[in-house]
Structure formats: structure tokens, C-alpha cells
Amino acid sequence: MTHDEALATIKAAIEEAVPGADLTAVSPDEPFRERLEMDSLDFLNFLELLSGRTGLDLPEQDYASFTTLNGCAGYVTARTGGTLGASS
């Protein structure tokens, strides 16, 4: 999965976990949980959706990687054999 594909998948999972989330208001390197008013349950729902869409196990010890859109995309890209920064 490329970085751009990962980012699209992440955004779709966030939009499903937090209906009405305005992802245009979030820069790629900004922590998104507070900006999108995601509570712990929303965040766990997002991770579950992301895991289902990517086929990746997302262990709790890696949750710190999921604070920014670029951080999430980097994590997913690295674990799906993609190339960071590549586009589709």
C-alpha cells in the first residue's frame, strides 16, 4: 500500500468512526484526536476499522504511532510493504 492509499484508507476509517469529522481542518502532521473531538471509544473504533481495512494487527503498544495522519500512514505503509511518499 502506498502512502497515498494508506492516507485515503485512514481518512475513510476516521470518517466512519466519527461521522461528520471535518478532515479538511486537520493538517497531516497535526494530532487529530483533539481536533476531531475523538474520545477513547471513537479512537478504538477507528483502530478496529483500520485494522479491518488493512488486515494489520494494531497492538496497543503501537497506538502512539496513530496521533497524526502522516504517522498513521507511515505505520500502515511500512507494514504493508509500501513505499513512504509514493503515490498511486
Side-chain angles (χ1 to χ4, degrees), residues 42-53:
D42 292 334
F43 184 68
L44 291 175
N45 190 25
F46 155 66
L47 291 173
E48 184 177 312
L49 289 164
L50 185 60
S51 177
R53 290 170 187 241

Side-chain angles (χ1 to χ4, degrees), residues 27 37 39-40 46 48 50 62-63 82-83:
S27 69
E37 299 179 4
D39 61 23
S40 298
F46 155 66
E48 184 177 312
L50 185 60
D62 292 347
Y63 287 2
T83 305

Side-chain angles (χ1 to χ4, degrees), residues 11-80:
K11 288 179 177 182
I14 290 173
E15 288 171 341
E16 188 173 337
V18 185
D22 182 10
L23 289 168
T24 62
V26 180
S27 69
D29 294 310
E30 170 187 17
F32 59 82
R33 282 184 67 181
E34 186 173 316
R35 171 73 76 162
L36 299 176
E37 299 179 4
M38 292 176 81
D39 61 23
S40 298
L41 199 53
D42 292 334
F43 184 68
L44 291 175
N45 190 25
F46 155 66
L47 291 173
E48 184 177 312
L49 289 164
L50 185 60
S51 177
R53 290 170 187 241
T54 61
L56 296 173
D57 287 325
L58 305 175
E60 187 173 349
Q61 71 236 24
D62 292 347
Y63 287 2
S65 298
F66 296 93
T67 57
T68 67
L69 296 174
N70 274 340
C72 292
Y75 182 96
V76 170
T77 300
R79 281 153 187 81
T80 58

